[in-house]
Amino acid sequence: MAMRIDGKLISAQIREEIREECAAFEKEAGILPGLAVIIVGENPASQVYVRNKKKACEEVGFYSVVYELPEMTSQAELTALVDELNRDEKIHGILVQLPLPKHLDETDVLLRINPKKDVDAFHPYNVGKIMIGDYNFLPCTPAGVMALLTRTGVEIAGKNCVVIGRSNIVGKPMAMLLLHANGTVTICHSRTKNLAEVTREADILVVAIGKADFVTADMVKPGAVVIDVGMNRRADGKLTGDVDFASVEPVVSAITPVPGGVGPMTITMLLKNTLTAARDAVKK
Ligand code: GUN
């Protein structure tokens, strides 16, 4: 029987630590960590994410502001808001919820955010810092996966780590973090040949491809640790991951469920990055 890695529980523990650190920071610095979230348009999934981010900030005692801009917002208007938040001393973290409406240039907006306030770690400056292993901010989802692994005592050094997926938000930084932790890392993607042969070599398998129930029992090594980053909605409305949990769970030593695995960790890591940004801002 595999251990179920409980992301809800680990997330709650880390959020409690952040709440205590926030209170200590306020005593010391006389201010609260502040996060600004910008959402443009009315994407329902984005609206839920943004609401959850605001609620999470309130629970740990952060200052937070949400800017809900209309769908027809221009690039210039969005840029002006980012510039204003870059100057705002109460704001230590700026997050522009993606995806943006099609007429807006995402890259241009992300480049505009002061890298010191880039709590998503999407700015090329921070991406570069991650590459060289000298970082303040880690992108929230890969950071959440690392926290799940370390807090459940999974040894990474010397292990075969396979990441399925090569996105800028998850796959690529995930591989880099596992490499920094001395894993032997392979990145697989849609053009990988003999995928199952590669994934069967994995001691740690991280799956982030956005295909429901894609990884099946024949693709995992007995005793492996499987981390499912997927979040897919089935036809019946139920949430499911990228891993076929029912068939894979009996084969592996530990696995994250969906929901309740990686999901809750992402916002927790955003809170952590915001606290780090606030600490750095007062250090100067
Ligand atoms: N949209 C989906 N995930 C994310 C995320 O981690 N950050 C931002 N800014 N937008 C997202």
Side-chain angles (χ1 to χ4, degrees), residues 33-203:
L35 176 70
V37 179
I38 303 174
I39 174 168
V40 186
E42 303 201 344
N43 180 319
S46 290
Q47 287 172 325
V48 173
Y49 291 139
V50 167
R51 219 176 299 139
N52 289 341
K53 285 167 186 172
K54 172 122 183 87
K55 190 161 155 262
C57 280
E58 283 160 7
E59 281 167 7
V60 295
F62 288 7
Y63 168 67
S64 65
V65 203
V66 175
Y67 293 85
E68 290 176 282
L69 305 184
E71 179 84 21
M72 335 78 59
T73 301
S74 70
Q75 190 81 24
E77 286 167 325
L78 182 54
T79 303
L81 176 57
V82 170
D83 287 347
E84 185 190 318
L85 294 169
N86 279 337
R87 286 189 300 268
D88 188 338
E89 289 190 356
K90 291 199 299 299
I91 296 299
H92 307 103
I94 303 170
L95 182 144
V96 178
Q97 187 67 32
L98 303 179
L100 288 170
K102 288 214 164 50
H103 68 280
L104 294 171
D105 182 342
E106 251 171 42
T107 309
D108 184 64
V109 176
L110 297 180
L111 273 172
R112 198 86 185 187
I113 297 172
N114 179 345
K116 293 194 164 75
K117 297 191 177 190
D118 170 37
V119 284
D120 259 328
F122 290 169
H123 191 291
Y125 175 84
N126 287 320
V127 175
K129 297 269 279 181
I130 291 159
M131 192 82 179
I132 59 176
D134 161 30
Y135 37 76
N136 265 354
F137 304 133
L138 292 176
C140 301
T141 301
V145 172
M146 293 306 283
L148 287 179
L149 291 173
T150 51
R151 291 208 176 212
T152 43
V154 175
E155 177 87 30
I156 300 168
K159 295 287 168 62
N160 280 337
C161 305
V162 174
V163 178
I164 317 183
R166 55 174 158 178
S167 71
N168 288 332
I169 296 183
V170 183
K172 282 188 223 169
M174 187 73 249
M176 203 48 61
L177 298 190
L178 291 164
L179 179 63
H180 290 323
N182 298 312
T184 302
V185 184
T186 306
I187 307 177
C188 298
H189 45 80
S190 54
R191 303 285 287 272
T192 297
K193 294 209 170 80
N194 305 321
L195 179 67
E197 262 173 46
V198 182
T199 58
R200 271 199 301 268
E201 292 296 315
D203 301 307

Side-chain angles (χ1 to χ4, degrees), residues 11 136 173 184 190 215 221 259 262:
S11 176
N136 265 354
T184 302
S190 54
V215 171
K221 173 166 152 175
V262 175

